[in-house]
Amino acid sequence: MSETANIKKEPIISAIWIIPVIALLVGAWMLYQYQANKGATIYISMPHAEGIVAGKTEIKVRSVKIGQIDHVRLSDTKNSVIARAQIDKHYDGLLTEDANIWVVKPRIDETGISGMSTLLSGVYLEFAPGESTKTKEHFELQEEPALIGKDVKGGRFTLLSYDAEVMDVGTGIFFKNYKIGQVETATFDWQNQAMKYGIFVNEPYQNLITLNSIFWVNSGVEIDLSADGINVKTGSISRLLKGGISVALPDQQSPGEYAQEGHNFSLSNSYKDALEERFYDFDYYLIEFEQSIRGLRAGAPVEYRGMRVGTVVEAPANVIIDGMPAHFRTDNTAVPALIKIEYGRIYHDSASAKKFWQSSVDGWIKNGLRASLKPGNLLTGAVYVDFDIYHDAPSAQLTTLSQYQVFPSISSGITVLADQVSDVLNKVNNLKIEDSLAQIESAFADYQSLANEMRTLLNKQDTQDLPGDINRNFAEMTKSMQQFDVTMKQFEKTMASYQQGSSFHQQLQQTLSEFKRLSEELQPLTRGLNEQPNMFIFDKSLPSDPTPRKQ
Amino acid sequence: MRTLLRPQFFAVIGVLLLSGCSQSLNAPVEYYQFEQTIKPMQRSSTDTIAQLRVTTVSLRGALNNRGIAMKLDNNQVNAANYHLWSEAPDQMLTASAHQALFTALDNWMVVKGLPVITDKDQQSYYELEYELHHFNGDNQGNADISGLWRLYYTTFEKGRSLKEIHYFSEVSPLIDDDYEGLVASLELNWQTINKQVAATISALSHE
């Protein structure tokens, strides 16, 4: 019998290898899971790492944790700090390139106290995602918190201020005392020497900003001195501390067109200044005066028969012709003044006013429209530019000097004085002196009749009886005075009982002397008690007296 | 034992307390005053040439003390504990001065510190003011009264004016030993001073 041997081929790989393979797979799965859950890594560069702790400092969006700082090191140049942070996987999409990041720590400023919760918990980084679709992994830490979140809607405008005081970032924008926005950026434009403020007006209030809006600095305290007394108005504390920028429409003006994003407005020092500076649509004119311009100042009004149409810009005008000032020319002794015709003053729709002015000015000049200087204030000597029609003026037209149009002028001074004298004479002429004399005459006649009536009255018996009545009244008054005298004597008697020598006074004196005597009686006792406090209980044991001895 | 001790204990304490409290105050205090003999006198304002008011004598420091003062040395004065004036020295001296001056100035109306006189005729008057610096005995056997006096003249029209100031120092040996001798000597000195004052005042040419 033979047995056949079954030869089994040994498996090449032992089954035991399953275990390492499974381990490998599990390891790989874990690695994958780790990588898959790890999320993005970002790097934040900052000037210093004050309060930042690796493994502890969190990154939050709207106070929700999205990641954590896991490593802090100095940059390669050693002049800043690079913090590495792990962001949770779900929040990768927040890491947009226009995102902002800043440190939340306790802050006390004009707007109030913030970040107090970090006093105990330590600082954290607040992350404000942007709206961009691109992401990045290197961020710069901002010094200050972002004032306005990326998702806050509203409008941004620019304010230019040439002379108003400097406002801080964060200063509120107020419309009728209600805060509608704030200053977002404040930069000094050194080339134009003006402060340039970027302002943000929250939705829907950006619709309040129209092309004819005016902006002015509101100091927070308004003092109004009027016939009713002094009225002091103050706003909130923060407004008092930081002031604010007010925006409004000039009185009796309807809102114009909406201002576009980024529209430039002028920021004035006060509402009054703002009203003056709101006419953005104007043209410059030069006026050459063949006389002294003493008293003419920048800001003086330009009027047409009492209606204001513009403002004096420079007096004298700094016009340079061939490198020489225009007011020192040899061939022309006139002194130029620069004015601007502000079309908004002529009509609220400045575009149509401009069109009207420009189309009509030549005709007016032909008809005798001339500029002249007129005294505005006799006390200060201030003068203003007045436009008026002078029919007898020599013919003239608009000319050009340098880049300006020159408006024809007419000399004032003696002329003005003559006109004024003539006015006065006319007024005197118009006084109806004859009528007045007639009135005076009739008044005298009235007086005459009054005197006659008085005489009749005095001659009447009743009137003559009057002195008797008066005498009776005097007799009654004398009687009253006598009664008063009696009263006073009684009063004197009453008082006499209290004066020196009176019985009351003597009693008082007596009482006082009794008091004195009593205190003298008590003197040895108090002295003894002073030396021997137990004198009441024990025998008096004061030292014996020295004995006087004869010589 | 206890019941016996308690009443005995309280009895002893009670006896002690009673004996302590009932002990007589046998302090030998003696009181003195000026003898000041009064002679019957009378004066009418119609017979007098002027009025003199004697104001209350003022004694400096501890001198106005009921204890009779003894100067122990230059800078130490003792006020007696057992030898007292029977009334305040200032009152006693004022009364004594008044009496002495009244006697000496027989054509003057001498009064003692009346507060006011409403009669217009009597609103011109002289005022005498004593200020005593010493009023004591000393260890050398002397009685000492020293000080000053001022004389004022008041008229209805001109008001009050100071006329004279005199300093005086009357030191005399004791008449007898002990405080009786001292008081008698002091009284003698005071009489002498008042006589001098009266002589000065009567020599005044009355305005």
Side-chain angles (χ1 to χ4, degrees):
Chain A
M1 98 178 232
S2 63
E3 288 183 7
T4 47
N6 288 327
I7 298 168
K8 273 188 182 173
K9 207 175 180 182
E10 283 281 321
I12 300 167
I13 301 167
S14 165
I16 197 73
W17 283 103
I18 290 172
I19 294 168
V21 166
I22 289 170
L24 199 67
L25 285 173
V26 168
W29 174 248
M30 285 173 73
L31 198 66
Y32 170 74
Q33 280 291 319
Y34 172 73
Q35 282 297 335
N37 290 329
K38 192 178 165 191
T41 301
I42 60 168
Y43 298 90
I44 306 156
S45 73
M46 51 187 83
H48 55 79
E50 188 189 351
I52 310 282
V53 181
K56 187 185 170 203
T57 304
E58 297 175 341
I59 297 176
K60 295 183 179 181
V61 173
R62 298 176 193 276
S63 300
V64 174
K65 182 186 170 187
I66 61 160
Q68 198 173 42
I69 303 284
D70 67 347
H71 186 247
V72 179
R73 67 172 175 84
L74 282 176
S75 67
D76 296 340
T77 52
K78 307 286 187 289
N79 58 3
S80 63
V81 175
I82 307 285
R84 188 179 72 196
Q86 293 297 329
I87 303 297
D88 293 350
K89 187 190 166 193
H90 314 294
Y91 300 122
D92 286 355
L94 296 176
L95 307 173
T96 54
E97 63 179 4
D98 56 348
N100 292 324
I101 187 163
W102 66 91
V103 178
V104 176
K105 56 186 176 185
R107 282 175 206 275
I108 301 174
D109 56 20
E110 305 93 328
T111 55
I113 301 171
S114 61
M116 288 304 282
S117 61
T118 58
L119 265 180
L120 296 175
S121 64
V123 303
Y124 66 87
L125 302 181
E126 181 74 28
F127 192 86
E131 290 172 340
S132 171
T133 48
K134 291 182 181 172
T135 58
K136 66 174 182 181
E137 58 180 21
H138 284 93
F139 292 90
E140 285 276 340
L141 190 77
Q142 285 188 342
E143 280 186 22
E144 297 290 327
L147 280 172
I148 296 146
K150 301 281 182 196
D151 51 347
V152 178
K153 288 182 180 166
R156 286 185 165 79
F157 305 97
T158 309
L159 298 183
L160 276 173
S161 160
Y162 288 93
D163 56 353
E165 58 189 287
V166 175
M167 312 299 290
D168 293 329
V169 170
T171 304
I173 311 284
F174 296 90
F175 185 88
K176 293 191 174 181
N177 286 335
Y178 179 72
K179 190 174 175 181
I180 57 166
Q182 58 186 324
V183 173
E184 206 177 11
T185 59
T187 49
F188 185 69
D189 182 354
W190 65 271
Q191 284 172 317
N192 290 320
Q193 298 197 357
M195 279 303 294
K196 197 173 182 179
Y197 299 105
I199 62 164
F200 182 84
V201 179
N202 299 58
E203 197 179 54
Y205 308 118
Q206 81 271 25
N207 296 324
L208 293 170
I209 312 298
T210 54
L211 290 176
N212 56 347
S213 295
I214 51 172
F215 291 81
W216 72 95
V217 175
N218 195 325
S219 59
V221 181
E222 287 173 33
I223 299 174
D224 176 33
L225 184 65
S226 66
D228 297 335
I230 297 175
N231 188 14
V232 182
K233 274 203 257 177
T234 57
S236 61
I237 291 289
S238 69
R239 198 153 161 221
L240 209 60
L241 289 172
K242 288 186 72 172
I245 293 175
S246 290
V247 55
L249 288 173
D251 283 343
Q252 298 172 351
Q253 277 208 12
S254 52
E257 289 175 35
Y258 293 134
Q260 297 297 310
E261 273 285 299
H263 188 85
N264 283 334
F265 288 95
S266 159
L267 176 63
S268 309
N269 244 340
S270 65
Y271 179 67
K272 202 177 151 198
D273 291 351
L275 282 181
E276 293 299 315
E277 292 166 7
R278 73 192 144 115
F279 304 106
Y280 306 113
D281 200 1
F282 55 81
D283 273 325
Y284 287 113
Y285 285 94
L286 269 185
I287 303 174
E288 292 185 310
F289 291 108
E290 193 61 61
Q291 66 182 104
S292 164
I293 58 162
R294 185 185 174 85
L296 187 66
R297 304 257 182 281
V302 176
E303 294 182 359
Y304 169 72
R305 292 190 168 182
M307 291 181 291
R308 183 146 184 195
V309 294
T311 308
V312 174
V313 181
E314 275 181 341
N318 291 314
V319 181
I320 305 295
I321 299 165
D322 300 333
M324 296 296 287
H327 43 289
F328 280 114
R329 281 177 293 164
T330 46
D331 58 338
N332 185 352
T333 51
V335 186
L338 184 66
I339 64 155
K340 58 182 178 183
I341 297 296
E342 293 155 325
Y343 298 114
R345 290 186 190 272
I346 297 171
Y347 186 59
H348 66 83
D349 179 8
S350 59
S352 19
K354 185 175 184 178
K355 206 171 160 188
F356 169 67
W357 172 273
Q358 286 178 344
S359 62
S360 315
V361 68
D362 287 329
W364 292 335
I365 291 172
K366 202 174 169 186
N367 288 338
L369 184 71
R370 300 287 182 273
S372 68
L373 292 179
K374 286 211 170 159
N377 189 326
L378 288 173
L379 286 178
T380 59
V383 295
Y384 67 97
V385 176
D386 183 60
F387 285 165
D388 208 338
I389 306 283
Y390 298 87
H391 293 296
D392 50 353
S395 63
Q397 57 187 5
L398 283 175
T399 53
T400 308
L401 180 69
S402 187
Q403 74 269 39
Y404 301 113
Q405 285 195 302
V406 180
F407 204 93
S409 70
I410 192 162
S411 187
S412 56
I414 296 294
T415 322
V416 171
L417 200 64
D419 283 353
Q420 285 173 347
V421 170
S422 153
D423 281 353
V424 172
L425 285 177
N426 279 335
K427 279 177 190 163
V428 171
N429 217 8
N430 290 335
L431 287 175
K432 290 169 181 166
I433 294 173
E434 289 84 2
D435 291 356
S436 306
L437 283 175
Q439 280 174 1
I440 291 171
E441 209 168 314
S442 87
F444 270 118
D446 288 348
Y447 276 121
Q448 183 72 38
S449 69
L450 180 68
N452 288 336
E453 281 169 16
M454 282 292 287
R455 197 175 296 130
T456 320
L457 180 70
L458 288 172
N459 287 335
K460 275 185 181 171
Q461 189 58 43
D462 290 350
T463 320
Q464 283 172 353
D465 287 347
L466 268 176
D469 291 344
I470 294 170
N471 275 343
R472 270 196 296 282
N473 288 338
F474 268 117
E476 279 174 18
M477 275 175 69
T478 315
K479 208 169 162 187
S480 306
M481 285 308 289
Q482 280 169 349
Q483 281 175 352
F484 179 70
D485 199 32
V486 170
T487 315
M488 283 309 289
K489 275 178 182 160
Q490 280 175 348
F491 178 70
E492 201 178 321
K493 213 182 279 175
T494 315
M495 288 308 290
S497 60
Y498 291 100
Q499 69 185 12
Q500 277 196 339
S502 66
S503 62
F504 172 78
H505 190 258
Q506 277 183 347
Q507 280 174 7
L508 192 70
Q509 287 283 337
Q510 207 173 336
T511 315
L512 283 174
S513 61
E514 276 173 15
F515 261 118
K516 189 166 177 269
R517 208 170 300 141
L518 178 67
S519 71
E520 282 161 1
E521 295 287 343
L522 287 171
Q523 204 182 43
L525 179 69
T526 50
R527 195 168 145 240
L529 277 174
N530 200 24
E531 291 182 21
Q532 189 189 342
N534 57 3
M535 200 173 77
F536 279 133
I537 299 169
F538 299 103
D539 197 8
K540 188 175 175 182
S541 61
L542 298 173
S544 60
D545 298 332
T547 314
R549 295 274 171 220
K550 262 173 78 176
Q551 285 176 354
Chain B
M1 185 74 182
R2 266 187 182 176
T3 48
L4 280 175
L5 255 180
R6 202 173 278 172
Q8 283 170 353
F9 175 73
F10 282 117
V12 169
I13 294 293
V15 166
L16 280 174
L17 275 172
L18 276 173
S19 65
C21 293
S22 64
Q23 198 174 10
S24 65
L25 294 169
N26 56 353
V29 177
E30 289 169 14
Y31 294 93
Y32 298 86
Q33 64 178 22
F34 284 177
E35 186 187 5
Q36 217 171 330
T37 321
I38 294 178
K39 285 192 288 181
M41 280 182 294
Q42 61 174 13
R43 190 116 347 131
S44 160
S45 63
T46 49
D47 306 332
T48 53
I49 53 164
Q51 191 188 92
L52 175 69
R53 286 192 203 172
V54 183
T55 57
T56 308
V57 176
S58 77
L59 290 108
R60 293 189 52 187
L63 290 177
N64 194 23
N65 194 312
R66 296 290 284 274
I68 297 173
M70 276 287 287
K71 190 166 94 172
L72 301 180
D73 57 41
N74 281 346
N75 305 103
Q76 199 180 359
V77 176
N78 177 73
N81 290 317
Y82 302 98
H83 300 87
L84 308 181
W85 292 109
S86 65
E87 65 174 322
D90 56 349
Q91 298 294 332
M92 185 184 73
L93 287 167
T94 309
S96 170
H98 171 244
Q99 199 187 329
L101 292 167
F102 193 91
T103 313
L105 298 165
D106 52 5
N107 55 351
W108 283 62
M109 178 59 88
V110 182
V111 294
K112 192 174 63 169
L114 281 179
V116 75
I117 291 166
T118 47
D119 191 345
K120 201 174 173 186
D121 294 342
Q122 297 183 357
Q123 288 189 11
S124 297
Y125 53 86
Y126 287 88
E127 250 177 307
L128 179 63
E129 201 175 78
Y130 280 109
E131 188 180 308
L132 298 194
H133 298 184
H134 295 165
F135 180 61
N136 54 269
D138 63 21
N139 280 340
Q140 284 73 46
N142 294 313
D144 180 4
I145 303 182
S146 306
L148 62 99
W149 60 269
R150 299 185 196 91
L151 189 69
Y152 295 95
Y153 183 56
T154 304
T155 59
F156 181 73
E157 296 82 18
K158 293 182 184 170
R160 197 180 193 224
S161 59
L162 176 65
K163 286 282 172 193
E164 292 184 27
I165 295 183
H166 291 256
Y167 271 88
F168 55 85
S169 176
E170 198 63 31
V171 184
S172 63
L174 294 186
I175 301 167
D176 208 345
D177 280 342
D178 218 337
Y179 280 88
E180 252 178 80
L182 173 59
V183 169
S185 305
L186 283 171
E187 185 176 7
L188 211 58
N189 286 359
W190 189 233
Q191 292 298 336
T192 315
I193 290 162
N194 280 301
K195 276 175 190 161
Q196 289 167 357
V197 172
T200 315
I201 288 175
S202 62
L204 277 175
S205 61
H206 175 60
E207 290 173 33

